[in-house]
Amino acid sequence: MSILSNQLPTAELQALDAAHHMHPFTTNDELKERGVRVITRGKGVYLSDSEGNQILDAMSGLWCVNIGYGRERMVQAAARQMMELPFYNTFFNTTHTPAIALAAELAKLAPEGLNHVFFAGSGSEANDTNLRMVRTYWAEKGQPQKSHVISRKNAYHGSSMGSGSMGGMSYMHEQGGMPIPGIHHIDQPDWWAEGGDSAPEDFGLERARQLDAKIEELGAENVAAFIAEPVQGAGGVIVPPATYWPEIQRICEKHNVLIIADEVICGFGRTGNWFGSQTLGIKPHIMTIAKGLSSGYAPIGGSIVCDEIAEVINAVEFNHGYTYSGHPVCAAVALENLHILQEENILDHVRDVAAPALRETLDVLGQHPLVGGVNVCGMMASLPLTPHRESRAKFAMDTGTAGFMCREACFANDLVMRHVGDRMIISPPLVITPDEIDVFRTRALKALDDTYAALKDKDMLKPAA
Ligand SMILES: *Cc1c(COP(=O)(O)O)cnc(C)c1O
C-alpha cells in the first residue's frame, strides 16, 4: 500500500476512492462527479492536499484535533505502546497500565464526584453505553420502568442505533428504523433560528420548561435521564441562552432524572475549561467523551460516571463492553494528549489568547452583509448566513444551498469551514495563534465575499416568505 501513499496522481486516487470507498454522510455518486479531495498531511493548524494546497483547518478535522497536527510526542507514545503491548482486553479479570493511567487521569480532571470511566471506541459507542447504563442503574434500584430518555431535536449523539436515536436529526431518523422506542425529543434552545421576537432569556426558560412538561407527560417515575450537549455542535454550534441550563438542572433535580452531558465536542478545552459542563454550570451524572480526548490521533471514547451510578453498576455484572474498550495504544495516545494539554497550558492559551482573538475576528465577520449573527463559546462558533440580517431571515431557496456554496468558496480559498445548513462552523485547533487567526480572518472574508457575489449574481439572496 505504501505505493499508494500520496504518490499516485490525484485523478487516480479519486477514481480508486470512488470505486471502492463508501463515505459517511455522503451521496457517494455526487461525490464521484465532483471529485473527492485527497488530504495528505497535517502540521499545526494546516493541512496539505494532493494538489499541494496549504489549507487552514478551522474545523480541527472533525472537532477533534485540539492540539494540532503533526505532534512527534503522540507518535512516540503510540510507537512505544505498540512495541510493549499492542492489544489486550479488559474483560477477563485483566487490565493494563494505559487504561489504568488514563482512567485515573480523567477522574482527576473531571468535576468532583465523577471518578469512574467506562471506555469505548467512539462517542457513538459511549452513548450506547450510557443508554444501557442509566437503564440498568434504575432497574437495579428497583425501578425498571424508569427507562425513558429525553433528548432534543437537532442534537447529535452519534450514528449507531442507540446514539442516533438519542440524537435529534430528523434526516437520520428517516433511515434504518430510528428512533428506537423509549426516546423522546423536545425543542432545542436555538434562539437565533427559533426565538422570533422573544428575548433570549425568556426563550431559554421556555425551551427548558419543555423538559418539565415532557417529564410530567411521561411520568417522572418512567424517565431515566436527559441527554444533551452543553453546547450543540453538529446541530450548528447552538449556544443556549444563559437561563437555559440552570433551569434544566433544577427540573432534573426536581424529578430525580439523571443528566448525561455529551462532552464529545465540548470536552478537553474547547469551551475554555476541561469540560463544557464547567463552562455552562451543569452538574452531570455521566459525561460522554471522545474526539478531543485523543485529539483524534487514535479512536477512543468513553463515559465518565459519577460515584452514585458506579456504585450500583459495579455491584452487578454489567453485560456490556467493546473489544477495544480501553485499547492500550489508544489509551496511551489519549494520555499523552492530556499531558500535552497540561504541560503546554493550552487551556490558559484558549482563555487568555485564542478565544479572545477568535471572538474579535468573529465580530468582524459578523458584520459581513451575508452573516446574520455570531454564536460562540470559547473555540467553537457558527456564523449563520442570511439574506436579511435585520430579521434573521432564512433563504427562500433550499436550506443548505448557501452554506454549501460558502463551504466550497472556503475550500477554494484554502480554508476549511464546515456548513450545517446555512451556518458556517468554526472549531479550530486550540493551539491556533493570533497570527493564524488573522489568516483565518482574511480567507474567511474572501470566501464570504465570493459567496455573496455568487448569490447576488444568481439572484439567490431572496428571503423566505
Ligand atoms: C461526534 C459526536 C458524537 C459521536 O462520536 P463518534 O466518535 O463519531 O461516534 C457524539 N456526540 C457528540 C456531541 C459528537 O459531536
Side-chain angles (χ1 to χ4, degrees), residues 207-265:
R207 286 291 153 105
R209 286 174 188 159
Q210 281 195 16
L211 178 61
D212 198 43
K214 181 57 82 180
I215 295 172
E216 305 251 326
E217 176 195 324
L218 297 165
E221 70 281 8
N222 298 316
V223 180
F226 174 65
I227 181 169
E229 302 149 83
V231 174
Q232 280 158 272
V237 184
I238 294 156
V239 184
T243 47
Y244 181 77
W245 270 110
E247 185 67 359
I248 291 283
Q249 184 78 40
R250 188 187 69 76
I251 290 163
C252 288
E253 283 169 16
K254 178 175 98 176
H255 291 296
N256 210 9
V257 165
L258 302 171
I259 297 178
I260 304 168
D262 187 337
E263 295 271 3
V264 169
I265 289 175

Side-chain angles (χ1 to χ4, degrees), residues 62-63 121-125 127 156-159 163 229 233-234 262-265 288 290-291:
L62 206 42
W63 318 88
S122 67
S124 301
E125 287 180 8
N127 276 326
Y156 190 76
H157 297 301
S159 194
S163 64
E229 302 149 83
D262 187 337
E263 295 271 3
V264 169
I265 289 175
T288 319
K291 295 197 172 115

